[in-house]
Structures are given as C-alpha cells and as structure tokens.
C-alpha cells in the first residue's frame, strides 16, 4: 500500500503535486468514498478519477523522458487563456500516460525543457530539497563588474526570499570589468549561470536586482541532461534509457542530501 499521490503519479497521470490538488478538490475516490490526503491504496483497490476507474496495474517500468527545445513565445501550460501557443502542441505522443513538464520556462525564455511520463520522477526533480542544478546562457545589456558578480554569488534578497547563483562563468564577451551600475557604452555581455532551484523568473529577477537587464535567456542544462547542440527550437527528442537512469540517480541523490540537511537542522 502506498500513498495515493505517489501511486497516481507513477501512472503518469500528473506530478505528485497535481495529484494532491485533485485529491483536495474531491476528484479522486477510493472504494467509493472521496479520497483524502494521506490515504493509501494498492493494485487491488478501486480508485477512480473524475468517476473513471484507473488501472492500477498499468504502472510501467518503461517510463519515458523527452527533451524539448522550447522556443521563445511558447508557454509551458496545456492551455493558455491568452491563446498563445503551448509546448504541448508540438510534442509527440508518449507510449503511455501523458507528458509532465519538469518545471517551466518563461514565455520569453528558450532552451531545454524536460518532460516525462514518470510523475514521481518529475516531482523529485522539481522539489527544492533535491537541489538539482539548472544552467543558463544569459545575454545581458551592459557589462557587470566584479562587485556585481560577487554580490550575485553571495546572495540577493528578492521579494520571495534570498536567492543566489552557485556559479557565474563569463563567456568571451562577458569578462567582468565594466561598471557595475550599468554604465558601459551600451555594450553586451554573456554569462553561464547555475542555480539549484526553480523559482519563477529567478534568473531574470536576480540580474535585475543587481541592476542589469537580461536580453536573452537560454537554458542549456537541467541536472545531468544538456541541451544537444544539434537540436533546433521547436524540436523534441526522446532521451536514451541511460539518460533516464541518470535523472533518477540525480533525483535520488538530491533527495538524500535534502533529508540529511533537514536531519542536521532538527538536531
């Protein structure tokens, strides 16, 4: 017997967080009664979603991971009230379940978006406690100085709490040295930045707090998976089984570190 949200996420119906919302909304029943958070079930139980009986024996060991090169202009939702194109309109159908996005990319951000039919894996990869790295290529207006870079590495207080980059690496045109207040003759600079959480528009907000405007933002890595150099915007590619295994290992390792940190804090 396992928790409902974990069981249904394993069916590829949605992430664990999404399933929890369904349970709160009364959309899930177990043995004819409305389910509650904390309920458990097994393959022999009758579980229904919106009245439809679920096949609990169909949890597949052949879960898939899809790499998608999201272009600027698409939103990472299934439906958009503004009728903007969504990433799900371009995706090939999975063998089973449905695609679940591992986090989101802002409409003006392009690059690597991971999707999977493994809801439990998606939950682990997105959970803040796992500390999965995200790497971006950032094009800035103006050239930040060393003081600004050091501040971004040390941490800046945003409206939803402190945030920082764990690494900042200058590309050929982005060597620190210009004025940190944004004066630099209109020049641009490019950096690779790494952070270990996925708050909304966090990369842009960090640079903005330091006094710089992001003119282009491209995600080039999520955990151990890099954006293939031969992919083009709007294209998708199934990840090899080895890549799926690396993602599961990274999620498990991050979860173990998170549990260790919480245990140390509670002592």
């Amino acid at each position: 017997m396992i928790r409902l949200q974990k069981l249904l996420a394993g069916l590829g119906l949605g992430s664990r967080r999404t399933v929890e919302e369904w349970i709160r909304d009364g959309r899930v029943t177990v043995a004819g009664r409305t389910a509650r958070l904390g309920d458990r079930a097994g393959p022999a139980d009758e579980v229904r979603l919106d009245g439809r009986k679920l096949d609990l024996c169909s949890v597949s060991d052949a879960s898939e991971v899809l790499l998608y090169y999201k272009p600027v202009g698409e939103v990472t939702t299934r439906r958009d009230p503004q009728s903007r194109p969504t990433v799900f309109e371009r995706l090939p159908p999975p063998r089973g379940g449905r695609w679940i996005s591992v986090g989101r990319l802002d409409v003006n951000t392009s690059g690597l978006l991971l999707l999977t039919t493994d809801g439990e894996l998606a939950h682990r990869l997105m959970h803040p406690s796992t500390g999965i790295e995200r790497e971006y290529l950032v094009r800035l207006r103006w050239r930040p100085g060393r003081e600004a870079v050091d501040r971004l590495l040390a941490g800046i207080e945003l409206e939803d709490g402190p945030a920082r980059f764990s690494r900042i690496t200058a590309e050929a045109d982005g060597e620190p040295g210009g004025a940190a207040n944004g004066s630099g003759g209109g020049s641009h600079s490019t950096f690779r930045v790494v952070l270990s959480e996925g708050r909304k528009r966090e990369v842009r907000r960090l640079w903005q707090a330091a006094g710089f405007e992001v003119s282009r933002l491209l995600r080039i890595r999520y955990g151990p998976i890099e954006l293939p150099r031969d992919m083009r915007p709007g294209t998708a590619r199934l990840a090899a089984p080895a890549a799926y295994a690396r993602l599961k290992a990274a999620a498990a390792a991050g979860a173990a570190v998170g549990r260790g940190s919480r245990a140390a804090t509670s002592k």
Side-chain angles (χ1 to χ4, degrees):
M1 303 284 282
I2 60 176
R3 289 184 181 273
L4 266 178
Q5 52 263 49
K6 183 175 182 180
L7 181 66
L8 300 191
L11 289 169
L13 296 173
S15 68
R16 194 192 301 183
R17 183 178 300 174
T18 298
V19 175
E20 288 175 352
E21 292 176 356
W22 293 343
I23 294 173
R24 291 191 187 97
D25 292 342
R27 298 174 58 187
V28 181
T29 62
V30 179
R33 67 168 181 81
T34 302
R36 295 174 296 182
L37 288 176
D39 283 352
R40 297 173 179 269
D45 290 308
E46 181 184 281
V47 179
R48 294 177 179 267
L49 173 63
D50 294 333
R52 178 173 60 90
K53 186 177 179 181
L54 303 177
D55 180 7
L56 303 183
C57 297
S58 65
V59 179
S60 174
D61 292 329
S63 296
E64 297 176 285
V65 171
L66 188 74
L67 281 62
Y68 180 62
Y69 191 152
K70 177 194 168 304
V72 170
E74 289 184 356
V75 293
T76 317
T77 57
R78 296 186 183 277
R79 289 176 295 275
D80 181 63
Q82 301 178 41
S83 299
R84 294 172 296 184
T86 78
V87 298
F88 292 95
E89 295 171 6
R90 292 182 184 255
L91 304 183
R95 290 197 300 264
R98 68 171 188 170
W99 293 123
I100 303 164
S101 64
V102 180
R104 297 184 178 186
L105 287 176
D106 182 78
V107 65
N108 293 318
T109 300
S110 62
L112 178 63
L113 179 68
L114 296 180
L115 302 104
T116 180
T117 55
D118 185 337
E120 180 65 16
L121 176 62
H123 172 78
R124 288 179 175 271
L125 290 172
M126 290 185 285
H127 200 280
S129 66
T130 57
I132 300 295
E133 289 189 343
R134 290 89 155 159
E135 185 171 5
Y136 296 82
L137 196 64
V138 184
R139 180 76 164 168
L140 298 174
R141 301 188 192 280
W142 315 107
R143 296 177 183 270
R146 175 56 58 187
E147 180 181 348
V149 172
D150 290 345
R151 184 181 170 211
L152 287 163
L153 290 170
I156 292 179
E157 188 70 31
L158 301 178
E159 61 269 22
D160 52 354
R164 70 180 187 90
F165 294 122
S166 55
R167 292 197 299 280
I168 300 177
T169 306
E171 294 292 283
D173 63 347
E175 291 296 338
N181 61 6
S183 60
S187 61
H188 288 71
S189 53
T190 306
F191 289 83
R192 289 174 181 259
V193 299
V194 176
L195 73 169
S196 300
E197 56 182 357
R199 282 187 266 169
K200 185 176 181 180
R201 302 183 74 252
E202 188 170 5
V203 175
R204 295 180 186 273
R205 289 190 294 132
L206 271 168
W207 282 109
Q208 184 178 19
F212 299 92
E213 181 184 352
V214 173
S215 60
R216 189 182 309 160
L217 186 58
L218 173 74
R219 184 155 72 192
I220 57 177
R221 181 170 64 87
Y222 196 108
I225 307 300
E226 295 184 355
L227 178 67
R229 291 182 177 273
D230 61 342
M231 284 190 72
R232 295 292 178 266
T235 61
R237 179 179 302 176
L238 278 174
Y244 175 55
R246 291 201 304 275
L247 279 170
K248 291 191 72 173
V257 171
R259 286 193 297 270
S261 298
R262 290 193 297 272
T265 302
S266 64
K267 290 182 178 178

